[in-house]
Amino acid sequence: MSIDVVQVTRALDYAAKKHVSQRRKGEAQEPYINHLAEVAHLLAEATGGNDANLVIAGLLHDCIEDQGVTFEELVELFSADVAGLVRDVTDDKTLLKAERKRLQIVETPHKSDRAKMLKIADKTSNLRAMAVSPPSGWDEQRKRDYFAWALAVVAGCRGVNAFLEEQFDRAYRDGQK
Ligand code: ZN
């Protein structure tokens, strides 16, 4: 148990350093670590604190995609399990954005239950942020399109965790107001 605390806080420290200059897309420009902390917390609640690796993957889930960290690095520093979870939710940046978004809808249903949980937590955090602090320059239609896309991705994750689905559905509803 104490090993888990060390590992989780090590991942927190690592993520904070890797994403130190990154801000969220919204007008409020929150530090990116706020997003990672929210995703990790959702996963901790969803699993009753019983899946430390999933919480760690929540903290690290954007570091390959956004910070150029490699899969091998995560295997070495954390574990193959953590690295695999992060890789499962990482987009292929060599593809165009529209294709990446399409693939998320198509591929997510075939991922593991834990990767699906990570995906729901990620989308929940993004919709919550979108509701209170949408990116500047986004009109209503663009926001609506984003919500519709997130809903379509999460549709392929349903049935793995009721708590997370509830959190997502609430964020979706709140964003429509
Ligand atoms: Zn994310």
Side-chain angles (χ1 to χ4, degrees):
M1 196 59 177
S2 58
I3 295 290
D4 288 349
V5 174
V6 174
Q7 287 289 91
V8 168
T9 53
R10 204 157 66 81
L12 173 61
D13 184 41
Y14 180 83
K17 284 174 178 146
K18 285 288 172 192
H19 294 270
V20 66
S21 327
Q22 195 180 357
R23 299 266 158 179
R24 302 197 76 179
K25 278 201 283 276
E27 267 163 357
Q29 300 230 305
E30 292 167 291
Y32 205 75
I33 191 74
N34 286 38
H35 166 60
L36 305 172
E38 186 174 30
V39 169
H41 180 218
L42 280 165
L43 292 168
E45 294 274 7
T47 56
N50 287 312
D51 192 341
N53 277 356
L54 186 55
V55 174
I56 291 170
L59 290 167
L60 304 176
H61 78 274
D62 283 323
C63 75
I64 293 180
E65 199 169 304
D66 294 341
Q67 299 303 328
V69 172
T70 64
F71 171 79
E72 290 73 23
E73 217 172 318
L74 293 183
V75 172
E76 204 174 299
L77 288 170
F78 296 95
S79 64
D81 183 39
V82 165
L85 283 164
V86 173
R87 187 170 58 183
D88 262 356
V89 298
T90 297
D91 283 353
D92 179 353
K93 282 251 182 142
T94 64
L95 302 172
L96 292 173
K97 188 157 187 198
E99 177 63 1
R100 298 204 304 262
K101 294 188 87 166
R102 190 189 71 81
L103 283 177
Q104 282 202 33
I105 296 173
V106 177
E107 291 178 346
T108 302
H110 309 292
K111 306 277 186 193
S112 69
D113 285 2
R114 288 158 84 223
K116 286 177 181 171
M117 288 170 69
L118 183 42
K119 208 57 155 171
I120 305 174
D122 188 27
K123 295 291 179 265
T124 301
S125 170
N126 288 341
L127 290 198
R128 284 178 180 173
M130 200 64 79
V132 296
S133 170
S136 52
W138 279 39
D139 59 14
E140 273 308 307
Q141 186 58 48
R142 187 157 178 199
K143 226 174 97 176
R144 265 199 300 278
D145 289 348
Y146 185 86
F147 271 72
W149 169 70
L151 188 67
V153 174
V154 167
C157 304
R158 294 203 183 261
V160 294
N161 190 279
F163 169 83
L164 287 174
E165 278 191 45
E166 198 186 306
Q167 297 302 311
F168 175 83
D169 290 336
R170 189 175 302 166
Y172 185 85
R173 273 198 311 274
D174 289 349
Q176 305 299 301
K177 285 175 191 158

